[in-house]
C-alpha cells in the first residue's frame, strides 16, 4: 500500500481552519485522517475530549513530553499544544493523508523532521474579516481575541516558510481547493496549483501583514 502524505494546515486564529477541516472530513473523509492534538487549554462549549482535542492538565501534558509520545509540541498564547505520535504513524502506514492542524512553531518542527511534508497556510481575505470571524465565533474573551490578533501578526512573518497560501473566502471553494492541492501533491502534479503557492502571493501577504500590524496596535 502506498503511504499517505503528511500535510500541515496552519493559519491565523479565526481564519476558518477548523471549519474547513470538519467539512473536508465529512465530504472526503475516506482519503484523510485528521490528527487529534493534545492541549492544556479548556474545552470550548461543544468540544469533546477525544474529538476536537485530548484535553489534558499541564502535568499530564508534560508526562507525554517526558515519554516522547509527541511528534512536536509548542506553547501558543499560554497553553501547550502537541501532536501524538502513534496515530500519525499508524494512519500514514494505512495509506491515509494525515492532516495536522497546528501552529507555525510546530509546523516548522514537522518540516524539519519530515521534509516531504506539504505546508499550507490558511487565511481570511483580510485582517478585518479575520477579526470579525474571531469575534463572531463568540468563544473567546476580548483579551484573548486581542492576544490572538497580535499573535496573527507574528505568525504572518513566517508565512514564507509554507508551500501554499489558501484564502478562505467562499468556504465550499476553499474546501475543494484544499482537497485538490493535497491530491495533486500526492500524485506529484505539483504545478497544477502554482497560483496558490506562497511565492505567487507575496503581495497579498505583505498587505495582510500591514493590516494585522495596525489591528495588533488596537486600531
Ligand atoms: P480557526 O479554526 O481557524 O480558528 P474557525 O473554523 O473556528 O477558525 O472559524 C472561525 C469563525 O469563522 C467561525 O465562526 C466560522 O463559522 C467562521 N467561518 C469559517 N469559514 C468561513 C467563511 N469561509 N466565511 C465566513 N465565515 C467563516
Ligand atoms: P485553538 O485554541 O484555537 O484550538 O488552537 C490554537 C492554535 O494551536 C491554532 O493555531 C492551532 O492550529 C494550534 N494547534 C492545535 N493543535 C496543535 C498541535 O498539536 N501542535 C501545535 N504546534 N499547534 C497546535
Amino acid at each position: 500500500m502506498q503511504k499517505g502524505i503528511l500535510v500541515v494546515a496552519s493559519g491565523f486564529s479565526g481564519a476558518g481552519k477548523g471549519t474547513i477541516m470538519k467539512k473536508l472530513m465529512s465530504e472526503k473523509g475516506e482519503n484523510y485522517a485528521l490528527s487529534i492534538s493534545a492541549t492544556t487549554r479548556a474545552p470550548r462549549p461543544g468540544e469533546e475530549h477525544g474529538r476536537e482535542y485530548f484535553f489534558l492538565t499541564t502535568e499530564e501534558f508534560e508526562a507525554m513530553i517526558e515519554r516522547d509520545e509527541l511528534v512536536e509540541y509548542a506553547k501558543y498564547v499560554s497553553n501547550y499544544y502537541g501532536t501524538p505520535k502513534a496515530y500519525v504513524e499508524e494512519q500514514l502506514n494505512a495509506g491515509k493523508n494525515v492532516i495536522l492542524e497546528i501552529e507555525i512553531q510546530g509546523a516548522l518542527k514537522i518540516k524539519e523532521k519530515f521534509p516531504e511534508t506539504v505546508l499550507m497556510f490558511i487565511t481570511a481575505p483580510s485582517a478585518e474579516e479575520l477579526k470579525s470571524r474571531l469575534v463572531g465565533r463568540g468563544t473567546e474573551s476580548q483579551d484573548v481575541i486581542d492576544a490572538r490578533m497580535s499573535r496573527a501578526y507574528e505568525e504572518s512573518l513566517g508565512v514564507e516558510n509554507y508551500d501554499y497560501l489558501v484564502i478562505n473566502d467562499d468556504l465550499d471553494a476553499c474546501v475543494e481547493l484544499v482537497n485538490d492541492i493535497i491530491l495533486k501533491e500526492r500524485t506529484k502534479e505539483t504545478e497544477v496549483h502554482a497560483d496558490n503557492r506562497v511565492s505567487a502571493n507575496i503581495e497579498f501577504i505583505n498587505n495582510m501583514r500591514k493590516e494585522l500590524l495596525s489591528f495588533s496596535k488596537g486600531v
Side-chain angles (χ1 to χ4, degrees), residues 177-207:
L177 178 62
V178 167
N179 180 53
D180 207 59
I181 288 175
I182 298 172
L183 297 188
K184 295 295 186 297
E185 279 284 337
R186 183 156 178 167
T187 51
K188 306 235 183 297
E189 297 166 85
T190 53
E191 68 297 339
V192 176
H193 292 292
D195 289 354
N196 298 97
R197 292 239 158 222
V198 162
S199 51
N201 288 281
I202 298 298
E203 206 177 308
F204 176 93
I205 294 164
N206 283 332
N207 201 39

Side-chain angles (χ1 to χ4, degrees), residues 15 47 59 65 77 109 121 141 153 166 201 203 205 209:
E47 286 184 334
E59 293 69 31
I65 299 174
V77 191
K109 282 183 218 157
F121 196 90
S141 65
Y153 171 69
V166 173
N201 288 281
E203 206 177 308
I205 294 164
R209 238 171 229 153

Side-chain angles (χ1 to χ4, degrees), residues 9-11 13 17 37-38 41 44 47 53 72-74 76 81-84 101-103 105-107 137 140 148 155:
S10 301
S13 183
K17 302 177 297 295
S37 297
R41 89 150 159 73
R44 295 181 184 134
E47 286 184 334
Y53 282 104
E72 63 72 36
Y73 68 93
Y76 175 91
Y81 293 81
T83 307
E101 197 223 294
I102 64 178
E103 54 66 73
Q105 304 165 76
R137 188 168 69 191
E140 269 86 18
R148 284 177 177 236
E155 290 193 332

Side-chain angles (χ1 to χ4, degrees), residues 29-75:
E30 67 281 5
N31 296 325
Y32 297 107
L34 183 62
S35 161
I36 302 169
S37 297
T39 183
T40 57
R41 89 150 159 73
R44 295 181 184 134
E47 286 184 334
E48 269 178 35
H49 182 78
R51 192 179 64 194
E52 280 78 13
Y53 282 104
F54 297 104
F55 295 100
L56 306 181
T57 63
T58 302
E59 293 69 31
E60 287 168 336
F61 196 100
E62 287 175 347
M64 285 191 84
I65 299 174
E66 282 296 304
R67 295 195 298 263
D68 197 26
E69 289 173 1
L70 300 170
V71 198
E72 63 72 36
Y73 68 93
K75 264 210 162 156

Side-chain angles (χ1 to χ4, degrees), residues 12-19 101 129 133 136-137 168-171:
F12 309 125
S13 183
K17 302 177 297 295
T19 309
E101 197 223 294
E129 173 66 14
R133 287 184 191 175
R137 188 168 69 191
N168 175 21
D169 193 350
D170 177 76
L171 180 64

Side-chain angles (χ1 to χ4, degrees), residues 9 11 13 46 54 59 74 77 87 100 139 143 157 162 193 215 217:
S13 183
F54 297 104
E59 293 69 31
V77 191
Y87 181 80
L100 311 182
T139 51
D143 281 0
L157 301 175
Y162 285 73
H193 292 292
F215 270 89
K217 285 178 179 158

